[in-house]
């Protein structure tokens, strides 16, 4: 039985689809609303039943262990029970990131798939080593409830991979102790989440061998300076709300301020680090505005100030734009220039090839004359 929340989402989805069909806008502008009917294969049915059974088991287990004032783990029974004709539509921006009212629902549902031990077991030592057929089944479980085009599969699987790694980290934190031998650990704590003792021992050995790497990762995690204080609302959704209210897209400085402000504190910065960053950014913006001629685009000033305070971007990532934002999408001109330096263009290669052919012909003519 679908609850009231999902019924409302379905009504909004259908209303949006009817408006899109009546106006015949299709893919319009930077934000797109995708309405695609995913294929359903008979092979998805048994996996779906296993998945629902797994989520119900985890829901019952969580309800028996939780304390009086805490909620259990999200199992998304309402979304799992959707029929083939009740698909939820997710919107994606120009960078291929999900946003809008359906984004938290998609994120929560993908988390239940990542925690499905029948589909994506913890016995694999790395997300990249999970077989393709299992990943295809996981993707099919998502498209059986959401209308998501295939071109957005990478970002959805990226979200799923991050959720799977978080789940694995949580299991390690609650069930594993590097200071206790494995035989004693079995006597003190049960094997988690229906893993066999052999698989659990393999995991424990793997974690023990990589304890030094884990320590470095924990230290790097504690160095994180910026905190996202908007809960399940991701950066693209904040960006869209800002655009709807102001008619222009926010700069990265404005996105940083939006994501690091607390609702409980009346919109104040979440911590002292956020206050310090805002002060540094405001000072840099004022200094750049004084040096720039009149009529300079404020967005350009904000970008320069942001780079001055936070330094160069990490490889393959863009700060403050959320997961999935690539430098080639955000800075296309700069990306092309940096990647073209030191490489010949197609016309240059053709010219050099012709020159080599002419030299070879001259050498052959000289050999023939001798």
């Amino acid at each position: 039985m679908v609850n009231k929340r999902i019924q409302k989402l379905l009504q909004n989805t259908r209303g949006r689809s009817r408006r899109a069909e009546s106006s015949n806008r299709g893919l319009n502008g930077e934000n797109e609303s995708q309405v695609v009917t995913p294929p359903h294969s008979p092979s998805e049915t048994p996996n779906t039943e296993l998945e629902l059974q797994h989520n119900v088991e985890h829901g019952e287990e969580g309800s028996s262990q939780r304390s009086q004032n805490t909620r259990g783990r999200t199992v998304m029974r309402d979304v799992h029970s959707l029929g083939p004709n009740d698909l939820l539509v997710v919107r994606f921006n120009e960078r291929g990131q999900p946003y809008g009212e359906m984004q938290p629902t998609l994120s929560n549902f993908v988390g239940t798939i990542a925690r499905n031990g029948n589909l994506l077991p913890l016995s694999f030592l790395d997300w990249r080593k999970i077989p393709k057929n299992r990943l295809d089944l996981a993707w099919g479980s998502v498209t059986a409830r959401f209308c998501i085009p295939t071109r957005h599969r990478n970002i959805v699987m990226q979200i799923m991979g991050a959720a799977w790694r978080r789940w694995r980290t949580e299991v390690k934190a609650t069930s594993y102790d590097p200071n206790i031998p494995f035989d004693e650990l079995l006597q003190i704590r049960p094997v988690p989440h229906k893993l066999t003792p052999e698989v659990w021992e393999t995991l424990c050995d793997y974690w023990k061998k990589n304890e030094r790497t884990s320590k470095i990762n924990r230290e790097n995690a504690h160095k994180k300076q910026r905190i996202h204080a908007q809960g399940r609302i991701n950066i693209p959704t904040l960006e869209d709300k800002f655009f709807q209210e102001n008619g222009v897209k926010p700069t990265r400085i404005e996105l940083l301020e939006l994501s690091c402000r607390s609702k409980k504190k009346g919109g104040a910065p979440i911590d002292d680090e956020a206050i310090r960053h805002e002060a540094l950014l405001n000072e840099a913006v004022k200094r750049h505005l004084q040096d720039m001629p009149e009529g300079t685009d404020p967005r350009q000033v904000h970008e320069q100030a942001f780079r001055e305070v936070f330094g160069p971007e990490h490889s393959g990532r863009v700060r403050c734009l959320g997961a999935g934002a690539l430098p080639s999408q955000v800075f296309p001109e700069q990306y092309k220039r940096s990647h073209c330096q030191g490489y010949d263009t197609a016309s240059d290669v053709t010219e050099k090839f012709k020159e080599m052919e002419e030299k070879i012909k001259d050498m052959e003519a000289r050999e023939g004359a001798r």
Side-chain angles (χ1 to χ4, degrees), residues 12-21 26-27 32-38 87-92 146-149 151-152:
N12 294 341
T13 294
R14 291 164 183 163
R16 190 184 304 115
S17 300
R18 286 194 296 268
R19 290 194 298 271
E21 292 175 358
L27 296 176
E32 48 181 319
S33 177
Q34 306 291 350
V35 183
V36 179
T37 303
L87 300 180
L88 303 174
V89 176
V90 183
R91 292 186 290 171
F92 293 82
F146 294 86
C147 281
I148 302 178
R151 65 177 176 273
H152 296 309

Side-chain angles (χ1 to χ4, degrees), residues 262-368:
S262 172
K263 295 180 181 179
K264 295 181 179 179
K265 297 181 180 180
I270 190 68
D271 56 9
D272 295 338
E273 193 69 20
I275 296 174
R276 187 178 70 86
H277 283 153
E278 288 190 10
L280 291 174
L281 289 169
N282 291 333
E283 181 182 351
V285 168
K286 291 179 181 179
R287 185 170 61 256
H288 282 286
L289 283 175
Q290 293 175 356
D291 299 336
M292 292 288 183
E294 294 184 1
T296 303
D297 186 6
R299 300 179 62 85
Q300 181 181 355
V301 176
H302 275 221
E303 185 63 31
Q304 292 180 358
F306 186 91
R307 293 180 182 179
E308 178 184 325
V309 173
F310 292 107
E313 301 294 334
H314 296 289
S315 178
R317 300 182 181 182
V318 182
R319 292 186 181 95
C320 297
L321 292 183
L326 302 176
S328 58
Q329 298 171 328
V330 182
F331 314 113
E333 296 300 326
Q334 178 182 351
Y335 185 84
K336 290 178 181 178
R337 288 197 303 269
S338 63
H339 281 69
C340 287
Q341 292 177 357
Y343 295 91
D344 294 325
T345 61
S347 59
D348 293 336
V349 173
T350 304
E351 291 296 330
K352 289 184 177 181
F353 185 73
K354 289 181 179 180
E355 291 178 2
M356 291 179 64
E357 282 187 334
E358 292 177 357
K359 289 181 180 179
I360 292 173
K361 289 179 180 179
D362 291 340
M363 292 175 63
E364 290 177 348
R366 291 175 186 175
E367 291 293 333

